[in-house]
Amino acid sequence: GESVGLHLPTLSVQEGDNSIINCAYSNSASDYFIWYKQESGKGPQFIIDIRSNMDKRQGQRVTVLLNKTVKHLSLQIAATQPGDSAVYFCAETPDNYGQNFVFGPGTRLSVLP
Amino acid sequence: NAGVTQTPKFQVLKTGQSMTLQCAQDMNHNSMYWYRQDPGMGLRLIYYSASEGTTDKGEVPNGYNVSRLNKREFSLRLESAAPSQTSVYFCASRSGDRVDGYTFGSGTRLTVV
C-alpha cells in the first residue's frame, strides 16, 4: 500500500545553518508532492510543491528535491531562522485532484540560538 | 481574516456522547475536508466534500458522519464518541483543482474519556 514516512522525527540546527528534512515514499504512481509547515497550535501551512516531472523546485529560502529513482523527497531550508521552528510534513498524491493525499508523520525542526 | 474557522478549539467528551465539529470557510472554495491528526502519524482523511451537495469517505470514516450544509460550511459529527476518537481534528478547504490550494483551520483538540 501507499506510505509516506520521514527518516528523522526531530532535527536541531543552529540559527543561520541550512536544514534538510527528508521524506521517503513508496507509491511509484505518486504525481504530486507537497511540504507543509505546522507551528504549535496551528493548522498545516503550504510551503512548496513539486510534480513528478520535476526533480527540483525553489521557493523563497526553500528548495524541494525529488529523486524518483529511490522515491525520496527532501526539503532544504537556507539560513534557518527561529521562525522556522515547527513540524514539517511531506504529503503525496497520485491523482490530479488531490483528494487522496497521504501525509507523513512529520519532523520537528528546532532552531538553536 | 479570510480562512478556515473551526469551532470549538477544545472539547472533552464522555464515551457515548455525541457532538458536532463545525467548520466554515469564506474563500468560496468548492472542496472541503476533515482530517484527524494523531501523535506519530500523519494527517488522515476522514471525509471530504468535492462540491456542495456531495460527500465521500476518506481513509478513516468509521464512527463519523458529515454534512455539507452549504458551500461555506462542512460539519463533522461523532454520534457516539469513543476513546479511540481522541485526536486533533483539522478542517481544510481547497480552491479549484490545484493541489497547492489547501487552507487548513487551526484544529479542534478532542479528548474522549
Side-chain angles (χ1 to χ4, degrees):
Chain A
E2 301 176 3
S3 70
V4 175
L6 295 172
H7 294 307
L8 298 175
T10 60
L11 177 65
S12 296
V13 298
Q14 291 292 137
E15 181 178 353
D17 288 351
N18 297 334
S19 303
I20 300 176
I21 301 171
N22 297 304
C23 178
Y25 65 95
S26 62
N27 186 356
S28 58
S30 295
D31 191 36
Y32 289 95
F33 303 85
I34 297 183
W35 281 100
Y36 283 93
K37 173 185 180 182
Q38 185 177 19
E39 297 175 280
S40 181
K42 297 183 179 180
Q45 292 179 291
F46 171 86
I47 301 174
I48 192 168
D49 66 343
I50 189 168
R51 291 194 64 172
S52 60
N53 60 355
M54 303 171 68
D55 54 20
K56 180 179 181 178
R57 192 172 185 201
Q58 290 185 294
Q60 188 175 14
R61 281 201 308 117
V62 295
T63 301
V64 56
L65 299 178
L66 176 63
N67 185 331
K68 294 180 288 293
T69 301
V70 295
K71 300 194 189 80
H72 184 268
L73 190 70
S74 69
L75 177 70
Q76 300 179 0
I77 304 173
T80 311
Q81 302 170 358
D84 294 327
S85 292
V87 175
Y88 290 83
F89 298 92
C90 65
E92 58 90 10
T93 180
D95 69 72
N96 291 328
Y97 298 101
Q99 307 288 25
N100 296 307
F101 271 100
V102 175
F103 288 83
T107 292
R108 181 173 299 280
L109 176 65
S110 295
V111 181
L112 307 175
Chain B
N1 292 332
V4 178
T5 302
Q6 290 183 234
T7 56
K9 294 189 182 301
F10 302 93
Q11 183 70 51
V12 179
L13 291 177
K14 294 182 179 179
T15 297
Q17 286 185 318
S18 62
M19 80 160 295
T20 300
L21 281 62
Q22 306 288 350
C23 176
Q25 52 93 8
D26 57 6
M27 297 169 286
N28 202 37
H29 288 173
N30 288 322
S31 303
M32 297 186 72
Y33 307 80
W34 276 104
Y35 287 90
R36 60 178 289 173
Q37 184 177 43
D38 300 297
M41 300 183 70
L43 292 164
R44 291 184 293 169
L45 182 63
I46 304 171
Y47 271 95
Y48 67 97
S49 171
S51 62
E52 185 179 356
T54 68
T55 61
D56 286 285
K57 295 179 179 179
E59 179 186 357
V60 288
N62 291 345
Y64 305 95
N65 285 302
V66 290
S67 295
R68 184 73 182 268
L69 304 171
N70 47 56
K71 192 171 186 178
R72 291 186 64 247
E73 299 173 287
F74 188 39
S75 62
L76 179 71
R77 183 163 179 82
L78 286 71
E79 291 292 350
S80 179
S84 61
Q85 293 178 304
T86 293
S87 188
V88 181
Y89 291 85
F90 287 99
C91 177
S93 68
R94 186 162 68 96
S95 61
D97 294 332
R98 288 175 59 84
V99 293
D100 62 345
Y102 283 90
T103 300
F104 283 86
S106 57
T108 296
R109 184 173 294 276
L110 175 67
T111 302
V112 183
V113 298

